[in-house]
Amino acid sequence: MSTAYDVIVIGAGPAGYHAAIRAAQLGLNTAIVEKWLGKDNKPAYGGTCLNVGCIPSKALLEASHKFVEARDHFDEIGIRVKEVTADVPAIMARKDEVVGNLTKGVAGLLKTNGVSTYEGTAKLGAGRKITFTAHDGSSEELNAGSVIIATGSVPVEIPPCPLTDDLIVDSTGALEFQEVPDRLGVIGAGIIGLELGSVWNRLGSEVVLLEALEDFLPSADQQIAKEAAKQFKKQGMDVRLGTRVTSTEVKDGKVTVQYTDADGDKSEVFDKVIVAVGRRPYTEELLAADSGVTMDERGFVFVNDVCLTDAPGVYAVGDVVRGPMLAHKGMEEGIMVAERIAGQKPLVNYDLVPSVVYTHPEIAWVGKAEQTLKSEGVDYQVGSFPMAASGRAMANNDTDGVIKVIADKETDRILGIHIIGAQASEIIAEAVIAMEFGASAEDLGLTMFAHPTLSEALHEAALAVSGHAIHVANRKRKK
Ligand code: FAD
Ligand code: AMP
């Protein structure tokens, strides 16, 4: 006997649960299968993002940022505090509470929307037949008109850095330290490495980031990346580029990391090491030999531009398919696929996926970087505005950073917006909206922004494209 659904979603991370809720909203009889077990060994929804990704990392970033504010900056604004200490177990307990509330919230949303939930593992065979195995080992067969694979990703492990229980850890382990390591090595200075390095640097670790690439944040606008490197250095984070880790050795409770840079072989000793060298798509035991789903050369489930796999009626969304491994990219794909199954024809605009690094200052961008436009031979103009000239940033005692608007020289259409500064993650939404509507820099300049806000720096940067910024001297002044 098998149970039939219109739609079965495999994986309840952000991509999967968005797909399931939208499908149910559209009147489709929908089920979702999720195998995650939380730290309490109970089923948990929300995938990487809610359990060990976006949410817990942001809880730790916020707590550690507030700690630094209280310890180092309250005095500057006239607030005297005697002694500021970070209670790491309490910070971790609060982070766990936030995670618990949200993962339970997703379970509640699925229920409210009438999505049937299956707690265990799904294996997909031919003809959209799914073998579901529950956590207790019992199994049953499910059938679906359409299947949406949303099985996500897991951290990459590299041979030089085998993980240990608590000394050499991946991003998940780095969210669980119960005390501040004196010396912390972070392998990989990508977004996750920078965010986790920042948490522990703020709480008191001496942090060294070892990064194989010569360029810092290569996908960011390089002017912004340069400013970021300067800020991180000021904060005491030691980012070493062109540094490839070749081996690690655990001895007497410490980790020796061997690496090679332009000067030859070197080593460093750390109390803990975080391996943050990227993530890979996760499809273990997902596909029966006859599923008809194929992979691309990098191990991602192969899909077309509307997330349809090579198997009829089988879609795949989120980290398990090509494109940036970001929660919001998967959410949009999940919604698009659910609506397509219901007969609508939406598309995801892959040109406007915002990227954010939640350090302090935050770094955020959308659209093309200046170096990319240069290499493509596009004629463009740039307007930029320093946060130091923003009244609100001054009032906030938080003036590091800059906003940069790049527009086509001929049409003035905005091609990219790049931000480093406090709340860049919020301001970037305005940039995405403007670009989604095909705004010119002039359109943004003609839009009224509330005063005093950090967003006004975006307004001023847009005005600066044509030399009309008010609160800075314009390089090229035009009438
Ligand atoms: P996942 O969230 O990985 O979910 C996949 C789910 O599928 C899992 O729950 C898994 O248990 C389940 N599953 C897998 N196989 C099966 C099976 N066979 N049967 C049943 N269930 C299965 N992104 C951002 O956009 N912003 C951030 O700030 C951010 N911060 C991050 C910080 C960290 C430390 C990390 C690690 C990641 C971060 N990310 C962030 C990335 C983000 O977490 C991922 O892009 C996102 O979770 C991908 O969503 P997904 O639904 O595709 O997959
Ligand atoms: P991301 O893919 O953005 O999460 O970043 C991971 C980073 O880890 C990339 O910038 C890689 O260059 C870096 N990386 C991968 N392997 C090594 C290694 N052996 N030593 C140092 N850095 C590495």
Side-chain angles (χ1 to χ4, degrees):
M1 244 271 302
S2 81
T3 313
Y5 290 94
D6 295 331
V7 178
I8 297 181
V9 182
I10 306 177
Y17 83 75
H18 277 69
I21 289 175
R22 188 70 189 113
Q25 283 174 352
L26 289 161
L28 298 164
N29 183 18
T30 305
I32 194 162
V33 187
E34 173 54 64
K35 69 174 184 177
W36 197 287
L37 293 174
K39 281 199 282 182
D40 54 4
N41 221 28
K42 293 202 176 117
Y45 293 85
T48 302
C49 173
L50 266 59
N51 289 285
V52 295
C54 323
I55 296 297
S57 61
K58 266 78 257 179
L60 296 185
L61 280 158
E62 190 60 28
S64 58
H65 176 63
K66 286 188 162 130
F67 170 67
V68 169
E69 283 292 293
R71 186 192 61 194
D72 300 344
H73 302 297
F74 274 13
D75 201 52
E76 296 161 4
I77 58 171
I79 298 174
R80 314 281 174 235
V81 280
K82 284 221 169 62
E83 195 196 357
V84 182
T85 52
D87 178 345
V88 177
I91 290 173
M92 291 294 165
R94 175 197 165 262
K95 177 259 302 174
D96 289 342
E97 195 184 326
V98 173
V99 168
N101 289 341
L102 283 166
T103 55
K104 284 188 198 86
V106 169
L109 287 170
L110 291 166
K111 197 171 171 201
T112 312
N113 282 281
V115 177
S116 301
T117 51
Y118 287 82
E119 290 165 350
T121 305
K123 188 167 192 153
L124 177 68
R128 298 178 300 281
K129 188 181 80 181
I130 287 174
T131 307
F132 164 69
T133 308
H135 292 300
D136 65 8
S138 62
S139 80
E140 69 179 286
E141 206 169 275
L142 309 173
N143 273 288
S146 304
V147 168
I148 306 174
I149 297 171
T151 50
S153 63
V154 288
V156 167
E157 288 179 40
I158 51 173
C161 312
L163 302 184
T164 68
D165 273 353
D166 66 340
L167 293 180
I168 306 178
V169 299
D170 59 14
S171 59
T172 303
L175 299 168
E176 296 298 333
F177 295 162
Q178 292 298 315
E179 54 187 45
V180 181
D182 285 341
R183 287 205 92 219
L184 173 67
V186 181
I187 303 175
I191 296 183
I192 293 176
L194 285 168
E195 290 184 2
L196 294 173
S198 290
V199 166
W200 296 105
N201 172 63
R202 292 168 187 173
L203 294 176
S205 291
E206 185 189 338
V207 175
V208 180
L209 290 108
L210 303 169
E211 168 56 56
L213 298 177
E214 297 288 345
D215 291 332
F216 183 57
L217 284 175
S219 52
D221 184 278
Q222 283 305 287
Q223 185 195 340
I224 302 287
K226 218 164 153 188
E227 177 62 23
K230 198 174 95 190
Q231 295 294 335
F232 295 147
K233 190 166 179 195
K234 209 165 82 182
Q235 292 165 15
M237 291 218 287
D238 180 355
V239 182
R240 300 185 195 167
L241 301 172
T243 301
R244 177 165 289 280
V245 172
T246 52
S247 73
T248 46
E249 191 193 353
V250 175
K251 212 171 152 195
D252 303 328
K254 305 241 180 212
V255 186
T256 304
V257 175
Q258 233 82 40
Y259 64 91
T260 313
D261 66 13
D263 304 326
D265 295 341
K266 296 187 183 153
S267 72
E268 284 278 354
V269 178
F270 298 108
D271 296 292
K272 287 202 194 284
V273 166
I274 302 172
V275 182
V277 295
R279 298 181 62 80
R280 63 177 171 83
Y282 180 75
T283 52
E284 241 156 73
E285 296 192 38
L286 169 71
L287 302 171
D290 61 357
S291 73
V293 173
T294 57
M295 307 291 177
D296 70 14
E297 64 287 351
R298 295 167 62 213
F300 290 90
V301 170
F302 178 78
V303 287
N304 68 8
D305 56 353
V306 291
C307 293
L308 186 60
T309 71
D310 279 342
V314 179
Y315 297 81
V317 294
D319 279 12
V320 79
V321 303
R322 83 285 176 267
M325 286 183 159
L326 292 170
H328 42 280
K329 173 263 193 187
M331 294 172 184
E332 292 307 310
E333 287 179 332
I335 288 173
M336 170 185 72
V337 164
E339 293 180 346
R340 284 192 162 258
I341 292 169
Q344 301 176 8
K345 296 277 174 242
L347 292 170
V348 167
N349 184 354
Y350 289 102
D351 291 336
L352 295 183
V353 180
S355 294
V356 179
V357 191
Y358 294 81
T359 47
H360 195 85
E362 291 182 339
I363 305 158
W365 67 93
V366 61
K368 292 197 174 172
E370 197 172 345
Q371 70 268 15
T372 313
L373 292 167
K374 216 172 251 168
S375 70
E376 290 174 355
V378 176
D379 245 355
Y380 60 86
Q381 318 198 80
V382 176
S384 55
F385 189 82
M387 298 311 290
S390 149
R392 182 62 189 274
M394 281 184 238
N396 290 359
N397 193 38
D398 207 346
T399 52
D400 290 325
V402 64
I403 298 189
K404 180 170 170 182
V405 173
I406 311 178
D408 186 282
K409 193 159 192 179
E410 203 188 330
T411 65
D412 196 39
R413 189 184 175 119
I414 300 171
L415 302 173
I417 296 185
H418 305 271
I419 308 172
I420 177 166
Q423 294 186 41
S425 59
E426 301 294 336
I427 302 170
I428 201 67
E430 298 161 22
V432 181
I433 293 168
M435 290 180 70
E436 188 70 50
F437 284 86
S440 61
E442 185 186 27
D443 290 328
L444 210 47
L446 288 168
T447 306
M448 199 184 293
F449 283 65
H451 175 76
T453 56
L454 298 176
S455 298
E456 283 174 296
L458 174 60
H459 189 224
E460 290 267 16
L463 290 169
V465 171
S466 51
H468 296 160
I470 301 294
H471 293 91
V472 280
N474 292 283
R475 259 189 285 160
K476 41 184 186 318
R477 203 169 296 128
K478 289 187 194 151
K479 290 249 168 78

